Amino acid sequence: MAFSTRLLSKSRQLYGSQAIHAIPVRFYAKEAAPPGPPLKGDQMLKNIFLEVKKKFETALGILRKEKIIIDPDDPAAVSQYAKVMKTVREKADLFSESQRIQYTVQTRTRDIPDARTYLLTLKDIRIKRGLTDELGAEAMMMDALDKVEKEIKKPLMRDDKKSMALLNAEFDKINKKLGIRKEDFPKYEEQLELKIAKAQLDELKKDALEAMETQKKREEFKDEAMPDVKSLDIRHFL
């Protein structure tokens, strides 16, 4: 069951700076989703439990059918694992990592009125998720904000559409300078998923080796040769 827990756990945050900065422009505009109808506590907890149970069972059902080779050094194995996990997310209706970041940004910034606090919150999200700003985009974005606020001679509010258009134009210049293009977002997503898949296979390999080493120390297994990790079939552990 340790393998299944690892497979279904949250993946490590291995994003480059594109993941936090390549967010569609619409997320900079202030939007507020209408709240759903209130639910009584017991019913809400029951609904959450049933939803989680359904997602978990769906994920396990897929993992029981798909063969996963624990070989993080084999690009084909990494690609296959990424494909399986993508199927799990789609069938179980789970967020991808980039979708999870976008959701976090939306929920945490929904009621922020000004652009500066928004950008600082974005930075806080990045730091707390262990992401790195390898491209130095944050400093460029703050410089762009300083430029716009100097031009309009007041703090930039997110509901000021005219001034926000100026800021977004500056952001477009930054994206162009950094080589970040909207049409390349699917490629960034694919590269990201492969990085995550490789990291998860590394973790699975590490866990498997540790488990085998522990088992080897037991008297009844001392004379038995441990199998190659790549030969393990995870479906037998689910």
Side-chain angles (χ1 to χ4, degrees):
M1 197 62 186
F3 282 121
S4 60
T5 302
R6 177 67 66 179
L7 279 168
L8 296 173
S9 67
K10 291 182 180 179
S11 57
R12 289 172 176 261
Q13 311 305 312
L14 298 172
Y15 292 88
S17 54
Q18 289 98 331
I20 193 71
H21 298 300
I23 296 174
V25 171
R26 66 177 180 275
F27 291 120
Y28 288 98
K30 189 174 182 181
E31 297 177 353
L39 294 173
K40 292 183 178 180
D42 289 346
Q43 185 61 44
M44 182 172 65
L45 289 175
K46 180 180 178 181
N47 290 349
I48 292 173
F49 173 78
L50 291 176
E51 182 68 15
V52 171
K53 181 174 179 287
K54 179 181 177 182
K55 291 177 184 293
F56 185 79
E57 289 175 345
T58 299
L60 276 183
I62 295 170
L63 293 172
R64 286 193 180 105
K65 296 177 182 178
E66 300 287 347
K67 181 174 175 58
I68 293 173
I69 299 174
I70 307 177
D71 188 0
D73 299 318
D74 180 3
V78 172
S79 179
Q80 171 63 11
Y81 177 79
K83 181 180 178 182
V84 171
M85 297 313 292
K86 182 178 181 180
T87 301
V88 168
R89 288 196 306 273
E90 291 175 347
K91 297 294 184 181
D93 194 24
L94 301 172
F95 277 165
S96 67
E97 293 300 325
S98 59
Q99 288 172 330
R100 187 175 290 114
I101 286 180
Q102 288 186 358
Y103 177 78
T104 301
V105 169
Q106 282 182 293
T107 53
R108 285 200 51 190
T109 63
R110 182 175 293 143
D111 297 321
I112 293 177
D114 65 288
R116 187 170 297 276
T117 303
Y118 177 93
L119 292 181
L120 291 174
T121 302
L122 204 65
K123 180 179 180 179
D124 183 62
I125 292 171
R126 175 186 65 76
I127 292 173
K128 287 183 177 179
R129 295 185 73 89
L131 311 180
T132 58
D133 180 19
E134 296 174 354
L135 300 179
E138 280 176 353
M140 295 182 190
M141 293 165 75
M142 293 303 292
D143 287 344
L145 176 59
D146 289 339
K147 178 181 177 181
V148 171
E149 289 189 336
K150 184 177 181 180
E151 182 177 338
I152 65 176
K153 296 181 174 59
K154 62 180 180 179
L156 175 56
M157 307 305 288
R158 293 172 67 200
D159 59 1
D160 182 348
K161 295 183 179 180
K162 183 178 179 180
S163 298
M164 282 298 296
L166 295 176
L167 182 62
N168 286 329
E170 293 296 325
F171 286 168
D172 287 340
K173 293 177 184 177
I174 293 172
N175 286 338
K176 185 176 181 180
K177 181 177 180 180
L178 296 177
I180 298 175
R181 304 187 306 166
K182 293 179 183 178
E183 54 266 37
D184 289 336
F185 285 176
K187 181 179 69 175
Y188 297 148
E189 177 87 11
E190 182 180 353
Q191 292 172 347
L192 175 61
E193 296 302 334
L194 288 174
K195 287 181 180 179
I196 292 171
K198 187 178 188 309
Q200 289 182 334
L201 284 180
D202 274 322
E203 286 293 316
L204 283 172
K205 181 178 180 179
K206 179 182 176 182
D207 287 348
L209 290 173
E210 288 178 355
M212 286 191 290
E213 283 298 321
T214 299
Q215 183 169 297
K216 193 175 181 180
K217 293 176 182 178
R218 296 172 60 180
E219 188 66 31
E220 61 267 37
F221 295 110
K222 277 188 176 182
D223 297 327
E224 288 193 20
M226 291 295 104
D228 186 337
V229 173
K230 290 183 286 187
S231 69
L232 297 176
D233 192 335
I234 291 178
R235 292 172 293 186
H236 296 160
F237 299 93
L238 299 178

